[in-house]
Amino acid sequence: KKQINIAIDGPAGAGKSTVAKLVAEKLSYIYIDTGAMYRSLTYKAISNGVDVNDGKALLNLLNGLEINLINKNGKQLIVVNDADVTEEIRTPAVTNQVSYVAKHSEIRREMVKRQQQLANIGGTVMDGRDIGTHVLPDAEVKVFLTASVDERARRRHEEQLAKGQQSNLEILKEEIRRRDKIDSEREVAPLVKAEDAVEINSTAMKITEVVEAILSLVNERE
Ligand code: C5P
């Protein structure tokens, strides 16, 4: 069977990574989490005291970073210059700064180049904000996955409580709204549905239903 590329875009907390991982598993494809790449750079910028508003300094930092997404026993590890940063890139500090890092055109240009290289052999499920519009404009299947802000915040809240972390639903809603706003209003490659993407609103759907919907889009193409 021909190995295609599947692009999944959408706002924060819509369930992209959960769904993308399951779709990749079903098809024996590779899952590529592009948000983790922006998060890795943000984490390094914070640790090295690099200003997230300084695009040139960030690019300089990024040029010295090898970011590897490694699939190990069904888990995805993020390794930057040989250090495992899987946990570190999910902290609130990184989450709240990453959208500033992702605004810079020079950073996006380099990230897009790296992402295109990862997908050039096909057989990938890539999730992010600009995959269907900029990274893989020729992806055979494009999905724009959304859900209401309340539902997305509720899911994050449950996730954090399940991990035994502190969580405040109202603060989560605020943070999600703020990140959506920066991602949707930025000048370079803003979060927007590609014209040829299929929108799936997952507010009232189960994860398995979303996965099935995407798999049937894949089947229609084959
Ligand atoms: O997907 P995740 O929430 O981990 O993405 C973190 C941030 O990285 C997003 O809020 C966005 O600012 C940025 N991002 C992006 N383009 C992508 C993936 C992520 O700008 N393709």
Side-chain angles (χ1 to χ4, degrees):
K1 246 181 197 173
K2 184 177 175 270
Q3 302 256 294
I4 63 167
N5 285 313
I6 302 170
I8 304 182
D9 291 299
K16 295 184 300 293
S17 67
T18 307
V19 162
K21 258 180 238 167
L22 290 167
V23 170
E25 208 172 284
K26 279 269 180 192
L27 299 170
S28 300
Y29 276 18
I30 294 166
Y31 165 56
I32 300 170
D33 176 358
T34 64
M37 298 172 70
Y38 290 95
R39 286 172 178 275
S40 294
L41 174 59
T42 305
Y43 168 67
K44 288 302 251 181
I46 295 171
S47 346
N48 294 5
V50 172
D51 182 356
V52 296
N53 297 306
D54 186 343
K56 279 210 181 88
L58 286 170
L59 181 61
N60 203 28
L61 177 62
L62 178 58
N63 284 333
L65 300 181
E66 194 181 299
I67 304 172
N68 284 305
L69 312 177
I70 299 168
N71 290 301
K72 205 177 159 188
N73 318 323
K75 271 199 167 182
Q76 168 123 179
L77 297 182
I78 315 300
V79 177
V80 177
N81 294 357
D82 296 328
D84 183 341
V85 299
T86 312
E87 303 286 326
E88 287 83 348
I89 65 166
R90 306 284 163 197
T91 60
V94 171
T95 302
N96 292 328
Q97 297 288 308
V98 60
S99 291
Y100 299 109
V101 169
K103 280 170 85 165
H104 303 285
S105 59
E106 53 269 68
I107 296 304
R108 303 203 67 84
R109 202 175 307 126
E110 173 62 20
M111 291 293 196
V112 168
K113 196 176 92 192
R114 294 186 185 195
Q115 290 154 7
Q116 288 173 338
Q117 278 165 4
L118 290 172
N120 72 7
I121 50 162
T124 71
V125 183
M126 196 178 271
D127 80 349
R129 302 293 186 288
D130 62 339
I131 310 306
T133 51
H134 288 87
V135 181
L136 305 175
D138 298 328
E140 285 83 352
V141 171
K142 295 184 187 180
V143 172
F144 196 73
L145 188 62
T146 62
S148 69
V149 170
D150 282 8
E151 176 61 16
R152 289 186 279 137
R154 197 192 61 75
R155 290 177 190 168
R156 272 286 146 87
H157 187 58
E158 299 288 324
E159 239 172 58
Q160 296 191 328
L161 293 180
K163 283 193 216 155
Q165 294 168 352
Q166 278 200 340
S167 185
N168 179 312
L169 189 59
E170 289 311 311
I171 293 177
L172 281 176
K173 273 185 208 169
E174 251 336 289
E175 287 175 353
I176 284 179
R177 271 198 204 97
R178 195 172 54 89
R179 199 139 66 92
D180 283 356
K181 186 168 155 62
I182 305 173
D183 289 344
S184 314
E185 292 179 358
R186 72 177 171 227
E187 269 170 53
V188 195
L191 169 66
V192 54
K193 179 185 158 307
E195 245 173 66
D196 52 351
V198 174
E199 179 159 352
I200 300 179
N201 185 325
S202 75
T203 305
M205 288 169 85
K206 295 200 189 86
I207 290 166
T208 50
E209 293 173 328
V210 178
V211 171
E212 286 308 319
I214 296 174
L215 289 174
S216 43
L217 291 174
V218 173
N219 282 329
E220 282 167 24
R221 295 290 154 139
E222 283 167 351

Short mmCIF file of all heavy atoms in Angstrom, two decimals, residues 137-183:
data_model
loop_
_atom_site.label_atom_id
_atom_site.label_comp_id
_atom_site.label_asym_id
_atom_site.label_seq_id
_atom_site.Cartn_x
_atom_site.Cartn_y
_atom_site.Cartn_z
N PRO A 137 1.68 20.84 2.36
CA PRO A 137 0.50 21.29 1.61
C PRO A 137 -0.07 20.20 0.69
O PRO A 137 -1.23 20.27 0.30
CB PRO A 137 1.01 22.50 0.81
CG PRO A 137 2.50 22.38 0.81
CD PRO A 137 2.87 21.65 2.06
N ASP A 138 0.78 19.19 0.37
CA ASP A 138 0.31 18.11 -0.49
C ASP A 138 -0.08 16.85 0.28
O ASP A 138 -0.25 15.78 -0.32
CB ASP A 138 1.41 17.73 -1.52
CG ASP A 138 1.73 18.88 -2.44
OD1 ASP A 138 0.81 19.67 -2.74
OD2 ASP A 138 2.90 19.01 -2.86
N ALA A 139 -0.22 16.95 1.59
CA ALA A 139 -0.62 15.78 2.38
C ALA A 139 -1.90 15.20 1.81
O ALA A 139 -2.83 15.94 1.45
CB ALA A 139 -0.81 16.17 3.84
N GLU A 140 -1.97 13.88 1.72
CA GLU A 140 -3.12 13.22 1.10
C GLU A 140 -4.37 13.34 1.96
O GLU A 140 -5.49 13.37 1.45
CB GLU A 140 -2.81 11.74 0.85
CG GLU A 140 -1.86 11.49 -0.32
CD GLU A 140 -0.38 11.63 0.01
OE1 GLU A 140 -0.04 12.09 1.13
OE2 GLU A 140 0.44 11.29 -0.86
N VAL A 141 -4.20 13.38 3.28
CA VAL A 141 -5.33 13.55 4.18
C VAL A 141 -5.03 14.72 5.12
O VAL A 141 -3.96 14.79 5.72
CB VAL A 141 -5.59 12.27 5.01
CG1 VAL A 141 -6.63 12.52 6.10
CG2 VAL A 141 -6.04 11.13 4.10
N LYS A 142 -5.98 15.67 5.20
CA LYS A 142 -5.81 16.82 6.09
C LYS A 142 -7.02 16.93 7.01
O LYS A 142 -8.16 16.93 6.53
CB LYS A 142 -5.70 18.11 5.29
CG LYS A 142 -4.48 18.20 4.41
CD LYS A 142 -4.42 19.57 3.74
CE LYS A 142 -3.28 19.61 2.73
NZ LYS A 142 -3.22 20.94 2.07
N VAL A 143 -6.73 17.03 8.29
CA VAL A 143 -7.81 17.14 9.27
C VAL A 143 -7.62 18.41 10.08
O VAL A 143 -6.50 18.75 10.46
CB VAL A 143 -7.80 15.91 10.22
CG1 VAL A 143 -8.79 16.08 11.36
CG2 VAL A 143 -8.10 14.63 9.43
N PHE A 144 -8.71 19.12 10.33
CA PHE A 144 -8.68 20.26 11.25
C PHE A 144 -9.53 19.87 12.43
O PHE A 144 -10.76 19.78 12.34
CB PHE A 144 -9.21 21.53 10.56
CG PHE A 144 -8.86 22.79 11.29
CD1 PHE A 144 -7.55 23.27 11.28
CD2 PHE A 144 -9.82 23.49 12.00
CE1 PHE A 144 -7.21 24.44 11.96
CE2 PHE A 144 -9.49 24.66 12.69
CZ PHE A 144 -8.19 25.14 12.67
N LEU A 145 -8.85 19.58 13.55
CA LEU A 145 -9.54 19.04 14.72
C LEU A 145 -9.81 20.14 15.74
O LEU A 145 -8.89 20.81 16.21
CB LEU A 145 -8.66 17.94 15.35
CG LEU A 145 -9.27 17.13 16.47
CD1 LEU A 145 -10.50 16.35 16.00
CD2 LEU A 145 -8.24 16.16 17.06
N THR A 146 -11.07 20.32 16.08
CA THR A 146 -11.44 21.38 17.02
C THR A 146 -12.29 20.81 18.16
O THR A 146 -12.70 19.64 18.11
CB THR A 146 -12.29 22.48 16.34
OG1 THR A 146 -13.50 21.88 15.86
CG2 THR A 146 -11.54 23.11 15.18
N ALA A 147 -12.52 21.63 19.15
CA ALA A 147 -13.49 21.34 20.22
C ALA A 147 -13.71 22.67 20.92
O ALA A 147 -12.89 23.59 20.79
CB ALA A 147 -12.94 20.30 21.20
N SER A 148 -14.80 22.79 21.65
CA SER A 148 -15.06 24.05 22.35
C SER A 148 -13.98 24.32 23.39
O SER A 148 -13.33 23.38 23.87
CB SER A 148 -16.43 23.98 23.04
OG SER A 148 -16.36 23.06 24.12
N VAL A 149 -13.77 25.59 23.74
CA VAL A 149 -12.77 25.94 24.75
C VAL A 149 -13.09 25.23 26.07
O VAL A 149 -12.19 24.68 26.72
CB VAL A 149 -12.73 27.47 24.98
CG1 VAL A 149 -11.87 27.81 26.20
CG2 VAL A 149 -12.20 28.19 23.76
N ASP A 150 -14.37 25.23 26.46
CA ASP A 150 -14.76 24.60 27.73
C ASP A 150 -14.37 23.12 27.74
O ASP A 150 -13.85 22.62 28.73
CB ASP A 150 -16.27 24.72 27.94
CG ASP A 150 -16.65 26.11 28.43
OD1 ASP A 150 -15.76 26.98 28.45
OD2 ASP A 150 -17.83 26.31 28.79
N GLU A 151 -14.64 22.45 26.64
CA GLU A 151 -14.35 21.02 26.57
C GLU A 151 -12.84 20.77 26.58
O GLU A 151 -12.35 19.85 27.24
CB GLU A 151 -15.01 20.43 25.31
CG GLU A 151 -14.71 18.95 25.05
CD GLU A 151 -15.21 18.01 26.16
OE1 GLU A 151 -16.03 18.43 26.99
OE2 GLU A 151 -14.73 16.86 26.18
N ARG A 152 -12.10 21.59 25.86
CA ARG A 152 -10.64 21.41 25.81
C ARG A 152 -10.03 21.65 27.18
O ARG A 152 -9.15 20.92 27.62
CB ARG A 152 -10.03 22.34 24.76
CG ARG A 152 -10.37 21.89 23.34
CD ARG A 152 -9.66 22.70 22.30
NE ARG A 152 -10.29 23.98 22.01
CZ ARG A 152 -9.64 25.12 21.86
NH1 ARG A 152 -8.35 25.18 21.98
NH2 ARG A 152 -10.30 26.23 21.59
N ALA A 153 -10.53 22.67 27.89
CA ALA A 153 -10.02 22.96 29.23
C ALA A 153 -10.40 21.82 30.19
O ALA A 153 -9.59 21.39 31.01
CB ALA A 153 -10.59 24.28 29.73
N ARG A 154 -11.61 21.31 30.03
CA ARG A 154 -12.07 20.23 30.90
C ARG A 154 -11.18 19.00 30.73
O ARG A 154 -10.79 18.36 31.71
CB ARG A 154 -13.53 19.90 30.58
CG ARG A 154 -14.25 19.09 31.64
CD ARG A 154 -15.59 18.56 31.13
NE ARG A 154 -15.47 17.67 29.98
CZ ARG A 154 -15.03 16.41 30.04
NH1 ARG A 154 -14.70 15.88 31.19
NH2 ARG A 154 -14.92 15.68 28.94
N ARG A 155 -10.84 18.68 29.48
CA ARG A 155 -9.98 17.51 29.22
C ARG A 155 -8.60 17.69 29.85
O ARG A 155 -8.07 16.76 30.45
CB ARG A 155 -9.83 17.29 27.71
CG ARG A 155 -11.12 16.81 27.04
CD ARG A 155 -10.91 16.69 25.54
NE ARG A 155 -12.16 16.47 24.82
CZ ARG A 155 -12.29 16.55 23.51
NH1 ARG A 155 -11.24 16.85 22.76
NH2 ARG A 155 -13.45 16.33 22.92
N ARG A 156 -8.01 18.87 29.67
CA ARG A 156 -6.69 19.14 30.27
C ARG A 156 -6.76 19.01 31.79
O ARG A 156 -5.87 18.45 32.43
CB ARG A 156 -6.23 20.58 29.94
CG ARG A 156 -5.47 20.71 28.65
CD ARG A 156 -4.05 20.15 28.75
NE ARG A 156 -3.64 19.54 27.48
CZ ARG A 156 -3.08 20.22 26.48
NH1 ARG A 156 -2.80 21.50 26.61
NH2 ARG A 156 -2.78 19.62 25.36
N HIS A 157 -7.85 19.54 32.35
CA HIS A 157 -8.07 19.52 33.79
C HIS A 157 -8.08 18.08 34.29
O HIS A 157 -7.36 17.73 35.23
CB HIS A 157 -9.41 20.22 34.06
CG HIS A 157 -9.74 20.43 35.50
ND1 HIS A 157 -8.93 21.13 36.36
CD2 HIS A 157 -10.81 20.02 36.25
CE1 HIS A 157 -9.47 21.15 37.56
NE2 HIS A 157 -10.62 20.48 37.53
N GLU A 158 -8.87 17.24 33.64
CA GLU A 158 -8.96 15.81 34.01
C GLU A 158 -7.59 15.15 33.92
O GLU A 158 -7.20 14.36 34.78
CB GLU A 158 -9.92 15.06 33.08
CG GLU A 158 -11.36 15.57 33.09
CD GLU A 158 -12.08 15.21 34.38
OE1 GLU A 158 -11.81 14.12 34.89
OE2 GLU A 158 -12.88 16.05 34.87
N GLU A 159 -6.87 15.48 32.83
CA GLU A 159 -5.54 14.90 32.59
C GLU A 159 -4.60 15.23 33.74
O GLU A 159 -3.90 14.36 34.25
CB GLU A 159 -4.96 15.55 31.34
CG GLU A 159 -4.61 14.65 30.19
CD GLU A 159 -4.23 15.50 28.98
OE1 GLU A 159 -3.29 16.32 29.05
OE2 GLU A 159 -4.93 15.37 27.96
N GLN A 160 -4.59 16.50 34.12
CA GLN A 160 -3.67 16.95 35.18
C GLN A 160 -4.05 16.34 36.52
O GLN A 160 -3.18 15.92 37.27
CB GLN A 160 -3.65 18.47 35.24
CG GLN A 160 -3.10 19.05 33.94
CD GLN A 160 -2.80 20.53 34.01
OE1 GLN A 160 -3.47 21.27 34.72
NE2 GLN A 160 -1.80 20.97 33.28
N LEU A 161 -5.35 16.29 36.80
CA LEU A 161 -5.79 15.69 38.06
C LEU A 161 -5.40 14.21 38.10
O LEU A 161 -4.93 13.71 39.12
CB LEU A 161 -7.31 15.84 38.23
CG LEU A 161 -7.83 17.27 38.43
CD1 LEU A 161 -9.35 17.27 38.59
CD2 LEU A 161 -7.18 17.95 39.64
N ALA A 162 -5.56 13.54 36.95
CA ALA A 162 -5.22 12.12 36.88
C ALA A 162 -3.74 11.89 37.14
O ALA A 162 -3.34 10.85 37.66
CB ALA A 162 -5.62 11.55 35.52
N LYS A 163 -2.92 12.89 36.75
CA LYS A 163 -1.48 12.76 36.98
C LYS A 163 -1.11 13.18 38.40
O LYS A 163 0.07 13.20 38.76
CB LYS A 163 -0.70 13.66 36.00
CG LYS A 163 -0.61 13.11 34.59
CD LYS A 163 0.44 13.89 33.80
CE LYS A 163 0.06 14.07 32.35
NZ LYS A 163 0.69 15.24 31.73
N GLY A 164 -2.12 13.57 39.18
CA GLY A 164 -1.86 14.00 40.55
C GLY A 164 -1.33 15.41 40.64
O GLY A 164 -0.79 15.83 41.65
N GLN A 165 -1.49 16.18 39.51
CA GLN A 165 -1.01 17.56 39.52
C GLN A 165 -2.13 18.51 39.94
O GLN A 165 -3.30 18.18 39.81
CB GLN A 165 -0.52 17.97 38.12
CG GLN A 165 0.70 17.21 37.68
CD GLN A 165 0.99 17.41 36.19
OE1 GLN A 165 0.21 17.99 35.46
NE2 GLN A 165 2.13 16.90 35.76
N GLN A 166 -1.74 19.68 40.42
CA GLN A 166 -2.73 20.69 40.75
C GLN A 166 -3.33 21.23 39.46
O GLN A 166 -2.66 21.27 38.44
CB GLN A 166 -2.05 21.83 41.48
CG GLN A 166 -1.85 21.56 42.95
CD GLN A 166 -1.64 22.86 43.71
OE1 GLN A 166 -1.29 23.87 43.10
NE2 GLN A 166 -1.83 22.83 45.01
N SER A 167 -4.60 21.62 39.51
CA SER A 167 -5.22 22.12 38.30
C SER A 167 -6.37 23.05 38.63
O SER A 167 -7.14 22.80 39.55
CB SER A 167 -5.72 20.93 37.47
OG SER A 167 -6.21 21.37 36.25
N ASN A 168 -6.46 24.14 37.87
CA ASN A 168 -7.54 25.08 38.06
C ASN A 168 -8.23 25.30 36.72
O ASN A 168 -7.63 25.79 35.77
CB ASN A 168 -6.98 26.40 38.60
CG ASN A 168 -8.04 27.45 38.81
OD1 ASN A 168 -8.87 27.70 37.92
ND2 ASN A 168 -8.04 28.06 39.96
N LEU A 169 -9.49 24.90 36.65
CA LEU A 169 -10.22 24.90 35.38
C LEU A 169 -10.30 26.29 34.76
O LEU A 169 -10.12 26.46 33.55
CB LEU A 169 -11.62 24.31 35.61
CG LEU A 169 -12.46 24.04 34.37
CD1 LEU A 169 -11.78 23.07 33.42
CD2 LEU A 169 -13.83 23.48 34.76
N GLU A 170 -10.58 27.30 35.58
CA GLU A 170 -10.73 28.66 35.05
C GLU A 170 -9.41 29.17 34.47
O GLU A 170 -9.39 29.81 33.41
CB GLU A 170 -11.25 29.62 36.13
CG GLU A 170 -12.72 29.37 36.49
CD GLU A 170 -13.64 29.27 35.26
OE1 GLU A 170 -13.55 30.15 34.39
OE2 GLU A 170 -14.42 28.30 35.17
N ILE A 171 -8.30 28.86 35.18
CA ILE A 171 -6.99 29.30 34.68
C ILE A 171 -6.67 28.58 33.36
O ILE A 171 -6.18 29.19 32.41
CB ILE A 171 -5.88 29.05 35.74
CG1 ILE A 171 -6.12 29.97 36.94
CG2 ILE A 171 -4.49 29.24 35.15
CD1 ILE A 171 -5.15 29.78 38.09
N LEU A 172 -7.02 27.30 33.29
CA LEU A 172 -6.77 26.54 32.06
C LEU A 172 -7.53 27.15 30.89
O LEU A 172 -7.00 27.29 29.79
CB LEU A 172 -7.19 25.08 32.24
CG LEU A 172 -6.22 24.18 33.01
CD1 LEU A 172 -6.82 22.80 33.19
CD2 LEU A 172 -4.89 24.08 32.28
N LYS A 173 -8.78 27.54 31.13
CA LYS A 173 -9.58 28.16 30.07
C LYS A 173 -8.91 29.43 29.56
O LYS A 173 -8.81 29.66 28.35
CB LYS A 173 -10.98 28.52 30.60
CG LYS A 173 -11.97 27.39 30.50
CD LYS A 173 -13.35 27.84 30.92
CE LYS A 173 -14.11 26.65 31.47
NZ LYS A 173 -15.37 27.03 32.14
N GLU A 174 -8.44 30.24 30.50
CA GLU A 174 -7.77 31.49 30.17
C GLU A 174 -6.53 31.22 29.33
O GLU A 174 -6.29 31.86 28.31
CB GLU A 174 -7.36 32.23 31.46
CG GLU A 174 -8.17 33.47 31.74
CD GLU A 174 -8.80 34.08 30.50
OE1 GLU A 174 -8.02 34.64 29.69
OE2 GLU A 174 -10.03 33.97 30.30
N GLU A 175 -5.72 30.24 29.77
CA GLU A 175 -4.46 29.93 29.07
C GLU A 175 -4.73 29.42 27.66
O GLU A 175 -4.03 29.76 26.72
CB GLU A 175 -3.65 28.91 29.87
CG GLU A 175 -3.03 29.50 31.13
CD GLU A 175 -2.32 28.48 32.00
OE1 GLU A 175 -2.42 27.26 31.71
OE2 GLU A 175 -1.69 28.90 32.98
N ILE A 176 -5.75 28.58 27.53
CA ILE A 176 -6.09 28.03 26.22
C ILE A 176 -6.56 29.15 25.28
O ILE A 176 -6.13 29.24 24.14
CB ILE A 176 -7.16 26.92 26.35
CG1 ILE A 176 -6.49 25.64 26.90
CG2 ILE A 176 -7.86 26.65 25.03
CD1 ILE A 176 -7.44 24.48 27.11
N ARG A 177 -7.40 30.04 25.80
CA ARG A 177 -7.88 31.17 25.00
C ARG A 177 -6.72 32.05 24.53
O ARG A 177 -6.67 32.46 23.37
CB ARG A 177 -8.84 32.04 25.82
CG ARG A 177 -10.25 31.60 25.72
CD ARG A 177 -11.23 32.69 26.16
NE ARG A 177 -12.45 32.03 26.58
CZ ARG A 177 -12.75 31.73 27.84
NH1 ARG A 177 -11.95 32.11 28.83
NH2 ARG A 177 -13.86 31.09 28.13
N ARG A 178 -5.77 32.27 25.47
CA ARG A 178 -4.65 33.15 25.15
C ARG A 178 -3.76 32.52 24.07
O ARG A 178 -3.36 33.16 23.10
CB ARG A 178 -3.83 33.44 26.41
CG ARG A 178 -2.87 34.61 26.27
CD ARG A 178 -2.23 34.96 27.61
NE ARG A 178 -1.60 33.80 28.21
CZ ARG A 178 -0.33 33.44 27.96
NH1 ARG A 178 0.41 34.17 27.16
NH2 ARG A 178 0.17 32.37 28.52
N ARG A 179 -3.48 31.20 24.24
CA ARG A 179 -2.61 30.53 23.26
C ARG A 179 -3.29 30.46 21.89
O ARG A 179 -2.67 30.71 20.86
CB ARG A 179 -2.24 29.14 23.78
CG ARG A 179 -1.04 28.53 23.12
CD ARG A 179 -0.14 27.81 24.13
NE ARG A 179 -0.75 26.64 24.73
CZ ARG A 179 -0.64 25.39 24.25
NH1 ARG A 179 0.05 25.17 23.15
NH2 ARG A 179 -1.19 24.39 24.89
N ASP A 180 -4.60 30.17 21.87
CA ASP A 180 -5.36 30.16 20.60
C ASP A 180 -5.25 31.51 19.90
O ASP A 180 -5.08 31.58 18.69
CB ASP A 180 -6.87 29.96 20.86
CG ASP A 180 -7.23 28.52 21.19
OD1 ASP A 180 -6.33 27.65 21.15
OD2 ASP A 180 -8.42 28.28 21.49
N LYS A 181 -5.37 32.57 20.71
CA LYS A 181 -5.37 33.92 20.15
C LYS A 181 -4.02 34.23 19.50
O LYS A 181 -3.96 34.68 18.36
CB LYS A 181 -5.70 34.92 21.25
CG LYS A 181 -5.89 36.35 20.77
CD LYS A 181 -6.50 37.20 21.89
CE LYS A 181 -6.15 38.69 21.72
NZ LYS A 181 -6.66 39.29 20.49
N ILE A 182 -2.93 33.97 20.23
CA ILE A 182 -1.59 34.25 19.67
C ILE A 182 -1.36 33.39 18.43
O ILE A 182 -0.89 33.87 17.41
CB ILE A 182 -0.47 33.98 20.70
CG1 ILE A 182 -0.71 34.77 21.99
CG2 ILE A 182 0.90 34.36 20.12
CD1 ILE A 182 0.26 34.43 23.12
N ASP A 183 -1.71 32.10 18.51
CA ASP A 183 -1.46 31.19 17.38
C ASP A 183 -2.30 31.57 16.15
O ASP A 183 -1.86 31.40 15.02
CB ASP A 183 -1.75 29.73 17.77
CG ASP A 183 -0.72 29.16 18.75
OD1 ASP A 183 0.37 29.76 18.88
OD2 ASP A 183 -1.01 28.12 19.38
#
